[in-house]
């Protein structure tokens, strides 16, 4: 099996429903040769770490959502997001852009009508933080800027 196939299989297993870890399919079990009787426990440790880390990442990305709903509620909601929408690229700074839409469809948050808008604002802040910086003007280019345009 190629490395990319192993990685895809492992990622799918870690973010699948808990049954995938409790009774791992043969292809994932074949990757682990030592102590097959404790394999579900080992996989559960990996799963808890992965899901917990992704949830913590989203809690840090959406601090106002967390403040408005409380940490416990936000953790459950964002964990649900992680399990429904796992990352599809390696850059975690770009993970979580769909949280506002998810919140809009998350039944327990239905009474907080403005929460998806707060999440959209926080995602915009995240995108601007990680955006590529503009190229600075050289001293010669700066000399060419008219005084009334300096604030722009």
């Amino acid at each position: 099996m190629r490395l990319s196939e192993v990685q895809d299989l492992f990622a799918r297993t870690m973010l699948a429903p808990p049954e995938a870890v409790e009774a791992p399919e043969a292809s994932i079990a074949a990757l682990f040769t030592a102590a097959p009787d404790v394999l579900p426990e080992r996989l559960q440790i990996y799963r808890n770490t992965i899901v917990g880390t992704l949830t913590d990442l989203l809690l840090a990305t959406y601090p106002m959502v967390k403040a408005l709903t409380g940490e416990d509620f936000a953790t459950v909601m964002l964990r649900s997001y992680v399990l429904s929408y796992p990352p599809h690229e390696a850059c975690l700074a770009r993970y979580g852009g769909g949280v506002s839409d998810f919140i809009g469809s998350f039944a327990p948050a239905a009474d907080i009508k403005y929460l998806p808008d707060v999440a959209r604002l926080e995602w915009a802040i995240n995108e601007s933080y990680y955006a590529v910086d503009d190229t600075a003007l050289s001293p010669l280019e700066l000399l060419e800027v008219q005084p009334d345009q300096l604030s722009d």
Side-chain angles (χ1 to χ4, degrees):
M1 186 180 299
R2 298 177 60 191
L3 177 59
S4 62
E5 294 169 336
V6 171
Q7 291 171 329
D8 288 342
L9 174 63
F10 191 75
R12 278 195 319 275
T13 302
M14 294 300 101
L15 296 168
E19 300 80 47
V21 171
E22 293 165 5
E25 59 184 69
S27 55
I28 194 84
L31 298 173
F32 300 88
T33 55
D37 54 323
V38 296
L39 179 59
E41 292 175 37
R42 286 177 154 180
L43 291 176
Q44 188 61 47
I45 291 169
Y46 284 119
R47 185 176 194 276
N48 289 343
T49 301
I50 292 166
V51 172
T53 300
L54 292 172
T55 302
D56 289 346
L57 168 82
L58 293 177
L59 287 167
T61 303
Y62 294 96
M64 284 306 300
V65 168
K66 176 181 160 183
L68 291 168
T69 62
E71 186 169 356
D72 292 342
F73 184 90
T75 299
V76 169
M77 180 173 59
L78 294 174
R79 180 181 171 87
S80 296
Y81 177 82
V82 167
L83 294 172
S84 298
Y85 303 99
H88 293 289
E89 59 183 301
C91 182
L92 293 180
R94 293 192 291 252
Y95 177 59
V99 166
S100 61
D101 291 335
F102 179 80
I103 291 172
S105 65
F106 190 67
D111 291 341
I112 313 171
K113 304 288 186 205
Y114 56 87
L115 197 58
D117 291 332
V118 171
R120 269 187 278 285
L121 174 61
E122 290 191 299
W123 184 251
I125 291 168
N126 183 72
E127 283 189 311
S128 68
Y129 181 82
Y130 289 105
V132 176
D133 290 334
D134 284 338
T135 305
L137 296 175
S138 71
L140 292 176
E141 293 170 323
L142 191 57
L143 283 173
E144 295 174 7
V145 177
Q146 298 301 315
D148 62 326
Q149 295 176 333
L150 283 175
S151 65
D152 295 337

